[in-house]
Amino acid sequence: MKLVILGGGGFRVPLVHGALLRDTADRRVTEVVLHDTDSARLDVMQRVLAAQAALHPRGPVLPPSVTATTDLDAALAGADFVFSAMRVGGLEGRTADERIALDLGLLGQETTGPGGVGYGLRTVPVALDVAERVRRLAPDAWVINFTNPAGLVTQAMQSVLGDRVVGICDSPLGLAKRAAGALGHDLDDLEIDYAGLNHLGWLTGLRLDGRDLLPDLLADEPALGAIEEGQLFGTEWLRSLGSLPNEYLFYYYFTRDAIAQITGAPQTRGEYLVGQQADFYAGVAGAPEQAWQRWDAVRRDRNATYMQETREGDDGQAHERAEADVEGGGYEGVALALMAAIARDEPARLILNVRNEGAVAGLPDDAVVEVPCRVDAAGPVPVAVSPLPGHALGLVQQVKAVDELVIRAAVEQSRSLAVQAFALHPLVDSVTVARELLTAYARRLPEHYRRLA
């Protein structure tokens, strides 16, 4: 099977490659094609993957072949799976998503709030172009989308390719695993009740033989306080909600705190990564024999500092991430399980971004939602979930309306719709500021926003 990785020069590609190296079953991926617009990054990543393959124990199954190209059509032709992990605008775009909002007194984060709107506006046209090419060059391929904002981009691509586009994220499954572990259970033994949108969901139940165990965790102060969400949101707030929110809801529930912590840091996450990534790619290019060691060291640092602004306590000190969270990113496991379920008919239960089709009451059937799914050779099917409480449903409906405005603005090249998308987001507090946001984006990244008239 042929797997194409879009954004193939990106730093996290070895996570997917590592998962493929561990997969020795029949009907596995035998050919990997990396695509990127940056040939220098592709060269570095090929060195890292070659070193990774050399470290993998030799067995009867050959590792997948790896090639790289900047030719998108050549990469996509005949693909069985397309893994999309593009970053349109690169890290310069990410720093814009953060700084433009912060300069206007708003939350500056790449996928949540105004940054996510700006990111979506420049990403949707590229994602739609990719979808059209997949339809022409690999009509039977499944697209696994990790490109952010993942739910929004998945919904845009589904307008071309239908249900063969599935969005993935590791956050909800990581949340469910932590909760299950705190209860002393393996997640595979439990039924997950989780619903919302990408980066905007709630774990509302974990059932064993029909009995919901989540209230037991919420009532257990030491156990609840020991998991990431207890430290992030505070146990009192979690008990008040009666659920466990996705970590990205910190930006909604503690907006002022998040803004203060981000602005109080010497640099934003994007600015930090610009320097780190420049050093990494230049370092591997200059010392290719150290490719794997350099990548692994940077990976550990990236994971340990992920969403660091959300972990600052009342004493001003950030608590450390759990070792399991530092070691495992998780999304590569979701991607491999999804591919195995479809290609080999190995049934799996995963939390995915899929077409709603009535799974979340109060949202249109064609809205992409993030819910538990059963997956087999026919693809994912959402399972029944509990209705979201009013406060959660209202927030989900408002953010989904913004997602749909972003898609329309990008397709219709409409400045008016783009302003609406910014203005109607719950983390933007003024129409005037919404106009200023779009003006600032057009000034800083004109090649991506000049089409909006």
Side-chain angles (χ1 to χ4, degrees):
M1 290 195 301
K2 177 180 177 179
L3 169 66
V4 178
I5 302 180
L6 306 181
F11 183 81
R12 288 191 283 191
V13 167
L15 296 174
V16 177
H17 182 246
L20 296 176
L21 290 174
R22 296 187 292 272
D23 184 19
T24 59
D26 292 334
R27 284 290 295 164
R28 69 191 187 282
V29 171
T30 55
E31 177 185 2
V32 175
V33 179
L34 309 179
H35 172 269
D36 206 292
T37 58
D38 187 327
S39 59
R41 287 167 64 95
L42 281 175
D43 289 343
V44 167
M45 200 46 57
Q46 282 189 283
R47 293 182 185 278
V48 175
L49 299 193
Q52 185 178 42
L55 291 171
H56 191 75
R58 292 287 180 179
V61 177
L62 292 175
S65 65
V66 178
T67 57
T69 180
T70 57
D71 185 328
L72 180 57
D73 283 359
L76 291 174
D80 296 290
F81 288 94
V82 178
F83 185 83
S84 178
M86 305 178 293
R87 182 177 287 280
V88 179
L91 285 177
E92 168 59 21
R94 176 169 183 166
T95 60
D97 295 331
E98 296 165 343
R99 277 296 171 193
I100 287 173
L102 290 170
D103 288 347
L104 291 169
L106 304 174
L107 175 74
Q109 208 280 331
E110 63 163 335
T111 67
T112 303
V117 174
Y119 195 0
L121 286 170
R122 67 176 180 272
T123 302
V124 166
V126 178
L128 289 174
D129 177 63
V130 168
E132 292 287 357
R133 292 170 188 250
V134 170
R135 182 164 64 179
R136 175 167 51 88
L137 298 166
D140 295 326
W142 286 82
V143 176
I144 302 174
N145 179 57
F146 192 70
T147 296
N148 278 318
L152 184 161
V153 171
T154 299
Q155 185 161 330
M157 296 184 80
Q158 282 193 352
S159 69
V160 177
L161 296 171
D163 291 335
R164 297 183 78 85
V165 184
V166 182
I168 67 169
C169 183
D170 53 348
S171 290
L173 213 55
L175 163 60
K177 285 180 179 178
R178 287 189 291 274
L183 287 162
H185 289 276
D186 190 298
L187 185 59
D188 290 341
D189 298 328
L190 304 178
E191 179 185 343
I192 304 169
D193 202 345
Y194 179 98
L197 308 179
N198 182 240
H199 292 178
L200 190 72
W202 294 261
L203 181 69
T204 58
L206 279 173
R207 296 184 177 84
L208 178 64
D209 299 327
R211 177 176 174 264
D212 188 4
L213 303 182
L214 188 59
D216 296 344
L217 177 57
L218 293 170
D220 187 335
E221 177 68 22
L224 185 61
I227 65 172
E228 181 79 10
E229 287 68 29
Q231 298 170 30
L232 179 60
F233 295 101
T235 56
E236 181 182 358
W237 181 240
L238 295 180
R239 280 192 291 273
S240 177
L241 290 174
S243 62
L244 297 184
N246 184 291
E247 59 196 340
Y248 282 84
L249 274 154
F250 181 86
Y251 297 120
Y252 292 90
Y253 293 145
F254 296 91
T255 309
R256 291 192 182 196
D257 311 70
I259 294 172
Q261 290 163 16
I262 295 170
T263 55
Q267 56 187 177
T268 67
R269 175 71 169 175
E271 290 164 348
Y272 165 77
L273 291 176
V274 166
Q276 185 195 65
Q277 296 295 282
D279 290 345
F280 165 72
Y281 284 97
V284 172
E289 72 281 0
Q290 298 177 14
W292 171 256
Q293 292 86 344
R294 284 179 179 268
W295 179 83
D296 192 49
V298 174
R299 174 191 68 87
R300 290 172 180 271
D301 181 68
R302 281 172 61 106
N303 285 350
T305 58
Y306 173 70
M307 289 182 71
Q308 191 165 19
E309 69 274 7
T310 66
R311 299 197 305 280
E312 184 175 306
D314 294 336
D315 58 359
Q317 300 298 312
H319 68 265
E320 297 295 324
R321 292 188 76 198
E323 185 65 22
D325 291 335
V326 172
E327 283 301 312
Y331 83 94
E332 67 279 6
V334 179
L336 184 62
L338 178 59
M339 287 191 289
I342 293 172
R344 302 198 290 259
D345 200 18
E346 296 178 3
R349 294 185 302 159
L350 301 167
I351 300 176
L352 301 169
N353 287 264
V354 295
R355 194 185 302 266
N356 184 30
E357 297 295 349
V360 179
L363 290 177
D365 283 348
D366 63 350
V368 166
V369 296
E370 191 167 75
V371 292
C373 297
R374 292 188 180 91
V375 193
D376 57 21
V381 176
V383 302
V385 294
S386 298
L388 288 171
H391 66 87
L393 179 59
L395 185 56
V396 163
Q397 288 174 326
Q398 187 172 1
V399 173
K400 177 50 65 176
V402 170
D403 285 356
E404 292 170 349
L405 281 167
V406 170
I407 295 170
R408 285 185 58 202
V411 170
E412 299 176 28
Q413 301 183 2
S414 169
R415 178 182 177 84
S416 175
L417 290 174
V419 169
Q420 283 188 53
F422 280 117
L424 294 178
H425 196 286
L427 295 178
V428 177
D429 57 5
S430 165
V431 175
T432 300
V433 172
R435 294 182 179 124
E436 292 173 348
L437 283 164
L438 186 55
T439 298
Y441 269 105
R443 184 183 304 119
R444 182 159 176 173
L445 300 168
E447 67 275 23
H448 295 291
Y449 300 94
R450 66 164 58 98
R451 68 174 68 88
L452 298 172

